[in-house]
Amino acid sequence: MLRTILTYPFDSFGRHAYITWFQFLISYRRTMLGPIWLLVSPALFIALLGMLFSRIGGNDPAVFIPHLAIGLIAWTLITGFITSSTTVFQRGRAQILQGGLNLVDIVIINVFTTVLNFLHKIILIVIVFIIFGIDVSFYSLVSLIGLALLIANGIWLSMFFGMIGARYRDLSEVVQAIMRIAFLATPIIWMPGTDGRGGVMGAFLVYNPCYHFLELIRAPLLGNPIAPLSWIVVITITIVGFTLANFFYKRFAHNVPLWV
Amino acid sequence: MKTDAPKPRPLLEAKNLTLQVPIFQPNDRKLLSNPSRFLTDLYFSRTKRGIVTILDKLSFKLQRGERLGLIGANGAGKSTLLRVLAGIYQPSSGKLTVNGVAKGMFEISLGMNQEATGLENIYMRGLQMGLKLKQIKELVPGIVDFSELSEAIDNPLNTYSTGMRMRLAFSVSTIVEPDILLLDEWLGAGDTQFRAKVKQRMEGLVESSRGLVLATHNTSLMQSLCTKGLVLSKGKMIFYGELDEALDLYKQQQKK
C-alpha cells in the first residue's frame, strides 16, 4: 500500500479529485441551497451551544465560541474519516468488481470527499474569527501542519477500517457508538480549564488521540502553545497507523473483492 | 482465424489456479419453517463462515491469436474465472501469468449515477476507466453519436428507459479497446437496428484485441469466435483443448 501511495501518479490524483467533485455536486443537485446545507447544522450548533455552554461553563463567549467552532469543524473531519472508512469498500463495490478502480483509488476518493466537505465548513471558522476579532499570526500556520497530518492519517484509517469493515460489518456500528461518546469526551463543547492536563480532566485529554489531533489544529489558530506530547502522539499514530495498514493491506487486500 | 507468428510467451498461462472464497451464511434458515424461532434467530444467530472452492486447480495455456471459450453450466465458475483473469480476484493458490492487460466487461451498467445526466455519466465512467479528461472530451461526440442519445444526453439518467440506459452503458464501456478482452456473455443492447451496430462494434473489438476469453451459452457464437474450449464443471476443469471437442464433450455430459 505504501509503495502504491508513494508512487501514485499525479494525474490520477487529478482524476480522483474530479470524480469526488462530481459526486459532491450530484448529491446536492436537487436541493435549493446546495452545499450550503453543509453549513446549516454546524452554524446552528455553534451559535446555540456556544451561547448556552459558555454560560454554563462560566467561560467568556469570545474565548469559548472560537474554541467550539474550530473544535466542531475539525471534529467533522476526524469523525468523517473514521465513520466513512468502515463502509468505504462496500460503497465502492461496483467499481471494485468491474476492475475500474483499485482499493487505493477508492480510499483516495473517500479521503477527498471528506476533505471537500470539511473545506466548505472552514468558512464558519472565518466568520467566527471575524465576529470575535481574533488575530492570526504566522504561528497560526502551524495549524496547517496539523491538518496535513490529520488528512494523511485519513488515508491509512480508510484503508485499515475499510478492510476490517468489509469483513466484519459490525465495525460501522461499533465505530458510530464510539465516535458519539468520543465527541463528548473530547474538549469541544467544554474547555479543559486552566489546570489543563494535570487536572480532573487530565486522563480525558492524555489518553484521547482525538484530542491531540485537535490540539495541533486548534491551538495554533487560537495562539496557544502546543504541548510536545501532542506532537509525539500524533506522529507516533501516523507512523504506527501506516505500518499497520500496510501490513494488513499486504495480507488481506486480495480478499476485499470477495468480502464486499 | 488468424495465423500468428510463433511467440514464445503465451498470452495467458494458468498453473493449478485455485480460488477459494469465504461465504457468509445467515444461520436462520429454519425461520420460514418455524416462526417461533424468530426471536432467537434475530438476536442470537450468527453468520456461519464457510470456505467454498470455486475454481479448482485449473491449468491451461492460451497462445497469441487463440481465443478461448469457457463452457459450463450456470455456477460452474465461468464468470469467476473471468474476474480472476482480469485481476479482480487474486488466486488463492497456483499461478497465473497474463502477458498483457486483460480487461473485462462485466455488468456494464453497474456504477451509473441515476441523478446525473447521460453526459456526466460518460465522463464519470471514463474517469473510472482511467481515461484523462482530455481523452474523454475527444471521445464524447463518438459515444453520444453511437448511443443515438443526442437528444436525451443532458437529461438525468433516471428519466431514461431501460433500453436507453443499456445503449449508453454499452457505448461507454466499449470505447477503450482492450489488449485481452474478457467477455461474460456477448453484449447485446437495444432494438434490432441498434443490435446490428452493437454486433459490428463487438466484432471490431474482438478483431483489434490480441486475445479473447468468452463465456457464453450461445454455442454457434462460440464456434464462430473461439478456437479453444475450456469445459468447467463445479469449478473443476474437465477438458481443455480444441473448441469442437470441448463442445462435443459438454453436450455428452449434459445428456447423462
Side-chain angles (χ1 to χ4, degrees), chain A residues 27 82 102 105 107 109 126 130 141 166 180 185 231 236 239 249:
Chain A
S27 61
I82 296 178
N102 62 33
D105 295 334
V107 158
I109 293 174
V126 175
I130 291 170
L141 294 175
R180 203 159 297 153
W231 285 109
T236 312
I239 294 168
Y249 181 80

Side-chain angles (χ1 to χ4, degrees), chain B residues 65-123:
Chain B
E66 289 179 338
R67 293 161 181 173
L68 178 63
L70 302 180
I71 307 161
N74 288 332
K78 300 187 298 289
S79 306
T80 314
L81 178 56
L82 286 173
R83 287 224 161 92
V84 174
L85 296 178
I88 298 169
Y89 296 150
Q90 303 272 320
S92 336
S93 67
K95 218 183 145 193
L96 174 73
T97 327
V98 181
N99 290 312
V101 188
K103 283 258 170 189
M105 288 173 194
F106 318 120
E107 300 171 57
I108 49 167
S109 45
L110 223 59
M112 290 264 190
N113 192 321
Q114 297 300 318
E115 295 273 326
T117 68
L119 190 65
E120 287 164 339
N121 269 297
I122 296 177
Y123 274 85

Side-chain angles (χ1 to χ4, degrees), chain A residues 19-34:
Chain A
I19 292 176
T20 309
W21 177 245
F22 174 80
Q23 286 172 343
F24 183 77
L25 287 184
I26 296 296
S27 61
Y28 287 103
R29 171 155 295 171
R30 301 276 293 269
T31 60
M32 300 257 270
L33 291 184

Side-chain angles (χ1 to χ4, degrees), chain A residues 49-72:
Chain A
L49 277 172
M51 288 194 279
L52 185 66
F53 274 60
S54 59
R55 202 159 288 175
I56 292 173
N59 296 309
D60 180 6
V63 175
F64 179 70
I65 292 180
H67 165 93
L68 172 71
I70 303 168
L72 182 76

Side-chain angles (χ1 to χ4, degrees), chain A residues 44-182:
Chain A
L44 288 173
F45 199 98
I46 292 166
L48 291 176
L49 277 172
M51 288 194 279
L52 185 66
F53 274 60
S54 59
R55 202 159 288 175
I56 292 173
N59 296 309
D60 180 6
V63 175
F64 179 70
I65 292 180
H67 165 93
L68 172 71
I70 303 168
L72 182 76
I73 285 158
W75 181 259
T76 61
L77 193 57
I78 298 175
T79 191
F81 282 141
I82 296 178
T83 48
S84 72
S85 65
T86 57
T87 55
V88 59
F89 295 136
Q90 280 100 295
R91 283 181 281 120
R93 188 172 186 273
Q95 278 75 34
I96 293 176
L97 292 185
Q98 272 175 337
L101 300 173
N102 62 33
L103 299 189
V104 174
D105 295 334
I106 289 176
V107 158
I108 285 172
I109 293 174
N110 190 48
V111 170
F112 278 177
T113 309
T114 313
V115 172
L116 185 61
N117 277 323
F118 166 78
L119 289 179
H120 282 79
K121 293 177 188 160
I122 287 181
I123 191 154
L124 290 179
I125 298 181
V126 175
I127 293 172
V128 167
F129 271 47
I130 291 170
I131 292 176
F132 290 99
I134 291 166
D135 291 326
V136 283
S137 60
F138 278 112
Y139 172 60
S140 308
L141 294 175
V142 175
S143 174
L144 291 178
I145 300 175
L147 186 62
L149 278 169
L150 179 56
I151 293 171
N153 275 274
I155 298 175
W156 76 257
L157 275 170
S158 295
M159 186 56 92
F160 182 66
F161 281 154
M163 282 189 292
I164 300 180
R167 168 66 182 84
Y168 298 101
R169 302 289 158 98
D170 309 63
L171 185 69
S172 80
E173 306 285 337
V174 173
V175 160
Q176 276 177 30
I178 291 177
M179 288 318 282
R180 203 159 297 153
I181 202 70

